């Protein structure tokens, strides 16, 4: 059956092509087949996956890395329910993703048809927009609105969902409703800051002695302005993952290894496009003491979640930072240079020691490699322009500090392990000339392991390194220490390389230090590739030590939880 070039399906494909969408991540099905075929006719590449969750994860990674709209196309019923973990992850991460699906023809709705489900009721809580379009004449406007909502125009960015009954996607969009205004890409809105607020922020920042700057999702388009502010102000800087690489690790303001000390020592904290979530102790005075806050963000949630700012600037972060710099003029900052330099030296020394200890980390009593050995070898081999994706629970704790790259992604604030393989595939397709390396624990790898097939079929030049310790190790440690018994948290030391080879991927199993570096070199030269690196489960990660696994009542980490209890009891003051 041919799909009419004036049909709803054709309009959907045409809009995506005109909006610059080069690829759609998808899994086929009858309810969406007209859209599928029209995407192909319009020259939009379909990256067909093995599970709908992976399709949404790939769309999210594409959006996060390119700054453009990510698109996933999933079929009805279980196609949508499979996708919901990916949608929820994009929702918490505030990633601009459009999810398109189909439903039963209207004459078969609510009659027990195949895969008949009210999708919008399921996804409404985790999307910015969720609509079923039953009138072909409304398809252009509804699709335009869904894209705008996903991109965060006049609101917070995040996933938007739209579906169509299958008979509707085959019907014609009336000519008078096929308007150019719905096809054109729209310029991103720019929010200008209030000059008075910018002046207040400059006064507070330039008058403080110990300023800490923390960036997040909203700062991604403001790298040069952020670096300019750090240069002029002399403040110290932390990033907790959402904007990793925005400020080079070599910049003198970076003090990542001194995170605990600086969070408790700053007198003013500037957040740029960053929520004060669990990774930042919710901004609690129990951890940040008497620090005053300056909040900059282009959405309300980045201005006043958990802690109000003494100055709050609702504006595009790049514009806000430029305005603050202009307001500061040529004045000299009151920053305690000795304090900042001490933190930088502490960071450099800890980073140096970390590199040394990683490269010389001893094997376990079982003779298996320490995970840090694998990370050190990987860091050395992957090059300066790499994109690193780190994934896992226990292993993430090692990889988060053991790997550094100009661009990095991790499971994010939703803690959605299993994203590594799909993120890596999307990243390598978007940036085929850069080394894309996925460093994943074996448990996390299992969620989307089948997507190695997708990588092979689409020739996605990704290197997947699986740290195979045969366990959900952070839970094993928690059960051992807290309960004295391990229950249901052991895995096999499965041969993941054999599985990958079965799909035609270059893959090797690495069990010795001598084999590690040559195997990495061969894998980088033969991507897509997978290395199954057997590591000892005896290595105890920092997250395991800090109590993250047992989920304290008031704060995510045991030390913060204890500080919070004392603060609320009036034993400390902020």
């Amino acid at each position: 059956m041919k799909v009419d070039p004036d049909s709803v399906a054709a309009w959907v494909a045409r809009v995506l092509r005109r909006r610059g969408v080069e690829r759609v991540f998808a899994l086929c099905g009858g309810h969406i087949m007209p859209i599928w075929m029209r995407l192909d006719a319009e020259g939009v590449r379909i990256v067909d996956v093995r599970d709908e969750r992976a399709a949404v994860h790939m769309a999210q990674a594409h959006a996060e890395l390119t700054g453009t709209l990510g698109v996933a196309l999933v079929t009805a019923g279980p196609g949508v329910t499979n996708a919901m973990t990916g949608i929820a992850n994009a929702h918490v991460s505030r990633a601009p993703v459009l999810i398109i699906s189909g439903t039963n023809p209207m004459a078969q709705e609510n009659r027990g048809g195949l895969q008949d489900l009210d999708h919008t009721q399921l996804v409404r809580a985790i999307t910015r927009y969720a609509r079923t379009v039953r009138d072909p004449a409304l398809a252009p406007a509804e699709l335009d609105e869904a894209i705008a909502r996903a991109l965060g125009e006049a609101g917070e960015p995040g996933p938007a969902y739209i579906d169509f009954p299958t008979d509707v996607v085959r019907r014609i969009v009336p000519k008078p409703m096929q308007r150019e205004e719905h096809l054109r890409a729209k310029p991103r809105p720019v929010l200008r800051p209030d000059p008075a607020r910018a002046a207040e922020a400059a006064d507070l920042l330039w008058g403080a002695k110990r300023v800490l700057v923390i960036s997040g999702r909203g700062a991604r388009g403001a790298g040069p302005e952020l670096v300019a502010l750090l240069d002029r102000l002399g403040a110290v800087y932390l990033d907790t993952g959402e904007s990793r690489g925005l400020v080079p690790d070599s910049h003198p303001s970076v003090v990542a290894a001194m995170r605990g000390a600086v969070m408790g020592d700053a007198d003013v904290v500037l957040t740029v496009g960053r929520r004060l979530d669990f990774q930042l102790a919710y901004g609690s005075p129990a951890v940040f003491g008497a620090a005053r806050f300056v909040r900059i963000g282009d959405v309300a949630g980045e201005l006043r979640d958990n802690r109000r700012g003494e100055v709050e600037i609702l504006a595009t972060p790049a514009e806000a930072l430029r305005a603050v710099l202009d307001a500061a003029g040529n004045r000299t900052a009151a920053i305690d240079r000795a304090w900042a330099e001490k933190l930088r030296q502490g960071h450099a020394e800890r980073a140096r020691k970390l590199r040394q200890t990683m490269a010389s980390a001893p094997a376990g009593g079982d003779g298996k490699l320490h995970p840090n050995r694998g990370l050190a070898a990987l860091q050395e081999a992957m090059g300066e322009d790499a994109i690193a994706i780190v994934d896992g629970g226990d292993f993430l704790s090692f990889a988060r500090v053991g790997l550094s790259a100009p661009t990095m992604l991790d499971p994010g604030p939703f803690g959605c392990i299993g994203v590594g393989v799909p993120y890596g595939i999307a990243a390598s397709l978007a940036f085929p000339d850069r080394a894309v390396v996925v460093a994943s624990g074996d448990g996390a790898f299992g969620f989307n392991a089948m997507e190695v097939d997708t990588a092979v079929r689409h020739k996605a030049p990704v290197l997947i390194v699986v740290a195979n310790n045969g366990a959900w190790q952070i839970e094993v440690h928690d059960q051992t220490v807290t309960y004295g018994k391990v229950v249901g948290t052991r895995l096999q030391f499965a041969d993941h390389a054999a599985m990958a080879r079965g799909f035609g991927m270059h893959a090797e199993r690495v069990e010795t230090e001598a084999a590690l570096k040559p195997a990495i070199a061969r894998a980088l030269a033969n991507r897509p590739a997978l290395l199954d690196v057997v590591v000892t489960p005896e290595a105890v990660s920092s997250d395991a030590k800090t109590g993250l696994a047992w989920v304290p009542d008031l704060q995510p980490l045991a030390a913060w939880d204890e500080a919070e209890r004392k603060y609320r009891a009036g034993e400390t003051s902020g």
Side-chain angles (χ1 to χ4, degrees), residues 70-147:
V71 182
L73 176 64
V74 303
T75 197
V80 173
T81 58
N82 286 347
M84 285 187 67
T85 294
I87 297 172
N89 189 47
H91 163 67
V92 175
S93 299
R94 292 159 290 155
V97 175
L98 175 67
I99 301 96
I100 303 171
S101 187
T103 66
N104 273 325
M106 288 192 291
Q108 299 183 47
E109 286 184 342
N110 301 315
R111 299 183 65 194
L114 176 67
Q115 299 178 338
D116 190 15
L117 201 62
D118 187 348
H119 304 138
T120 57
Q121 292 298 319
L122 285 176
V123 303
R124 185 160 284 125
I126 51 173
T127 56
R128 304 296 179 267
Y129 194 71
R131 293 295 295 271
T132 296
V133 182
R134 293 180 173 86
D135 184 346
L138 298 180
E142 290 281 11
L143 184 59
D144 182 57
E145 183 66 16
I147 292 171

Side-chain angles (χ1 to χ4, degrees), residues 164-459:
F164 308 86
T166 307
D167 58 327
V168 172
V169 297
R170 292 191 283 254
R171 289 167 61 187
I172 303 302
V173 178
K175 284 288 187 184
M177 305 303 288
Q178 296 184 31
R179 296 198 289 266
E180 175 68 19
E181 67 197 61
H182 292 135
L183 282 169
R184 276 197 316 269
K186 311 300 189 296
R188 294 287 182 93
V190 175
L191 297 177
R192 308 290 182 187
D194 180 341
R197 300 289 82 74
E200 290 175 9
D203 290 343
L204 185 55
L205 293 167
W206 262 254
K209 293 183 178 297
R210 301 184 303 280
V211 179
L212 167 62
V213 179
I214 306 173
S215 66
R217 176 211 65 83
R220 287 177 184 161
E225 291 80 8
L226 181 58
V227 170
L229 181 131
L230 293 171
D231 288 342
R232 287 266 300 278
L233 183 58
V236 297
Y237 171 78
L238 286 180
D239 174 56
T240 51
E242 290 189 358
S243 53
R244 184 84 175 260
L246 197 64
V247 176
D249 287 344
S250 58
H251 193 279
S253 290
V254 173
V255 293
M258 303 296 289
R259 177 186 177 205
V262 71
M263 284 171 63
D265 205 25
D267 57 4
V268 170
V269 177
L270 167 63
T271 65
V272 184
R274 186 65 167 88
R275 284 184 169 175
L276 290 169
D277 61 11
F278 75 96
Q279 298 172 86
L280 294 170
Y282 311 115
S284 173
V287 174
F288 283 92
R292 296 178 291 175
F293 282 75
V294 176
R295 310 290 304 271
I296 291 174
D298 56 4
V299 295
E302 293 167 358
L303 288 186
R304 52 180 184 262
D305 67 312
N306 293 311
R307 285 293 297 272
R308 296 300 298 258
E310 187 158 323
V311 181
E312 298 169 348
I313 304 177
L314 179 63
T316 300
E319 297 291 324
L321 291 172
R322 278 197 290 268
V324 170
L325 282 167
D326 289 344
N330 294 322
R331 78 179 85 172
T332 301
I335 291 289
D336 183 339
R337 302 285 174 174
W339 168 79
E341 180 58 27
K342 182 179 179 182
L343 285 168
R344 177 62 182 177
Q345 288 177 357
H347 163 80
E349 179 62 18
R350 287 187 179 182
R352 183 186 65 80
K353 286 182 178 178
L354 176 64
R355 288 192 295 270
Q356 288 180 342
T357 57
M358 285 179 63
S360 60
D366 53 9
K368 294 179 173 65
L369 288 169
H370 193 289
N372 277 339
R373 277 291 179 97
L375 290 168
L378 193 59
Q379 180 71 63
E380 182 181 339
M382 67 186 192
E384 295 182 355
D385 194 35
I387 297 172
I389 317 290
V390 293
D391 189 17
D394 192 67
F395 181 66
L396 177 64
S397 183
F398 294 105
R400 190 171 51 230
V401 296
L403 281 185
S404 180
T407 306
M408 296 189 72
L409 292 178
D410 63 25
F414 196 43
C416 189
I417 67 172
V419 298
V421 174
Y423 277 13
I425 291 170
S428 64
L429 291 173
F431 299 97
D433 296 329
R434 297 174 66 179
V436 176
V437 176
V438 175
S440 175
D442 54 338
F445 172 70
F447 282 98
N448 286 295
M450 280 293 291
E451 299 304 330
V452 300
D453 173 60
T454 305
V456 171
R457 286 184 294 105
H458 288 276
K459 297 179 173 59

